Amino acid sequence: MRIEREFYMRDAVTVGKDILGKIIVKKTADGRIMSGRITEVEAYMGTTDKASHSYGGRRTKRTEVMYKEGGYSYVFLIYGMYECFNVTAGREGDPQAVLIRGVEPLENKNLMWEKRKVKKEKDISNGPGKLTKALGITREDNGVDLVASENLWLEDDGYKVKDIIETTRIGIDYAEEDALKPWRFYIKDSIFVSKK
């Protein structure tokens, strides 16, 4: 059920579409399992993508993990308060990644709800900063090998996604023509999507 390396060793657009419906599993410090089915993602295509942190070959302490082969976690902070969880894609040295933007809570949904302190179920994890808080994913999880880790990994339970919406990514107006690329994908009928 755990997703193996080969799955991640493709370009971010391909991985992004195929990762919809897969499950993120996070083990807490006290050994409890929380999980969520991926409902929304964005693909970032590396050095040629003006929206990517690695555009133009940018290589910093923060982006170094993007240069690993596919199947590693890339967790970063935005606006000084929200952590975002990405999965690296492609071959080593080609810094592509898939941002996970939404998940449907599965195991221990009540714990995720408590962490988020929201009234509506859909608000537990319908955004990149929301899902990391709900699942307990932090920057301490940056650089984790999702193929080998015992605390954070992805699974495939055979769930088939019926309808995928392909549209533009969110919050990247600075990326000029690349802001128009249809590299955001989400499950059409899911309520756990940040913006339809």
Side-chain angles (χ1 to χ4, degrees):
M1 285 192 23
R2 181 188 287 246
I3 296 175
E4 298 296 333
R5 183 80 62 204
E6 185 180 354
F7 176 89
Y8 303 106
M9 298 294 287
R10 302 169 296 161
D11 69 88
V13 168
T14 302
V15 173
K17 288 179 187 176
D18 287 353
I19 213 167
L20 287 174
K22 304 299 188 280
I23 298 169
I24 300 172
V25 181
K26 177 73 165 98
K27 187 184 285 185
T28 63
D30 58 8
R32 288 183 292 187
I33 295 286
M34 289 188 290
S35 67
R37 189 177 306 283
I38 298 170
T39 56
E40 178 186 8
V41 300
E42 288 177 346
Y44 289 87
M45 293 293 285
T47 58
T48 60
D49 179 359
K50 292 180 179 178
S52 175
H53 290 170
S54 60
Y55 173 65
R58 192 178 307 124
R59 198 164 186 163
T60 64
K61 186 176 179 184
R62 179 173 87 157
T63 64
E64 188 62 32
V65 71
M66 293 182 77
Y67 287 83
K68 289 183 177 283
E69 64 186 343
Y72 284 81
S73 63
Y74 172 39
V75 184
F76 63 85
L77 195 70
I78 56 167
Y79 310 129
M81 63 176 101
Y82 301 115
E83 283 156 316
C84 294
F85 172 66
N86 299 254
V87 174
T88 61
R91 303 278 167 196
E92 185 174 356
D94 185 4
Q96 299 182 36
V98 176
L99 169 66
I100 310 301
R101 288 196 57 92
V103 300
E104 174 188 349
L106 297 175
E107 289 174 273
N108 281 312
K109 179 165 70 173
N110 59 320
L111 294 177
M112 297 167 74
W113 207 321
E114 284 173 26
K115 284 183 175 205
R116 289 281 299 124
K117 297 178 173 55
V118 293
K119 292 179 180 172
K120 295 180 181 175
E121 181 182 359
K122 73 181 184 82
D123 293 326
I124 295 172
S125 51
N126 63 340
K130 297 175 183 181
L131 73 90
T132 52
K133 187 168 184 181
L135 288 167
I137 296 172
T138 70
R139 278 172 291 164
E140 289 184 14
D141 296 303
N142 186 48
V144 166
D145 183 348
L146 301 170
V147 175
S149 172
E150 293 303 314
N151 297 313
L152 180 62
W153 66 92
L154 271 66
E155 291 181 353
D156 183 352
D157 67 347
Y159 178 88
K160 300 293 182 204
V161 176
K162 292 187 180 115
D163 292 315
I164 296 174
I165 300 296
E166 300 183 16
T167 186
T168 53
R169 296 171 290 183
I170 295 171
I172 57 159
D173 295 340
Y174 58 85
E176 299 172 343
E177 68 277 8
D178 286 347
L180 303 175
K181 298 275 174 65
W183 289 344
R184 180 164 71 100
F185 311 106
Y186 66 85
I187 298 174
K188 182 179 180 181
D189 296 327
S190 177
I191 62 168
F192 299 98
V193 172
S194 62
K195 182 179 178 184
K196 293 202 173 187

